[in-house]
Amino acid sequence: MSKVFPITLYYNIEKNLKYKIFNIPQNISIKVFVEKFNIESLSSNKDFKIGVYGKIMNEDYIIKTEDRLELYTTVKIDPKTRRKKLAKAD
């Protein structure tokens, strides 16, 4: 029987930082983690990546006990473009 350990996944919902703790088995990849724990349900944007401490990782990355997992969604508009549009609106 394989050991399990807690891992925390951080994600945003409507500009609010949230987190959820999962008990995962050792030697689990990001791809299996996403599928097994239905991570897609945490985000309305289905186009996302998983990172560890700010670095986007490949799906085959094996999650380690001390990792801080982060869910990144794609940006809908470039931040510079958004600021310019907001400045013109004033």
Side-chain angles (χ1 to χ4, degrees):
M1 185 168 152
S2 66
K3 292 184 179 181
V4 298
F5 61 92
I7 198 77
T8 305
L9 174 70
Y10 293 86
Y11 57 99
N12 281 310
I13 294 182
E14 297 177 10
K15 299 182 184 179
N16 293 314
L17 182 63
K18 305 282 185 181
Y19 70 92
K20 190 168 183 179
I21 299 172
F22 299 90
N23 288 314
I24 65 171
Q26 290 180 331
N27 300 319
I28 188 171
S29 68
I30 288 178
K31 181 178 182 177
V32 173
F33 170 73
V34 167
E35 292 169 354
K36 183 174 183 173
F37 293 97
N38 196 22
I39 301 304
E40 289 182 348
S41 68
L42 297 177
S43 173
S44 59
N45 186 344
K46 300 305 176 201
D47 186 19
F48 63 84
K49 303 280 184 188
I50 300 286
V52 176
Y53 289 111
K55 182 179 177 188
I56 295 176
M57 305 305 276
N58 292 327
E59 289 183 331
D60 61 350
Y61 174 80
I62 302 298
I63 301 169
K64 297 170 183 57
T65 57
E66 301 298 320
D67 285 346
R68 171 192 164 114
L69 297 181
E70 300 155 350
L71 189 141
Y72 300 110
T73 56
T74 56
V75 178
K76 294 178 184 175
I77 185 170
D78 178 47
K80 288 181 183 180
T81 305
R82 182 178 176 271
R83 285 192 296 271
K84 285 179 185 178
K85 286 182 179 182
L86 288 173
K88 287 180 182 180
D90 291 336

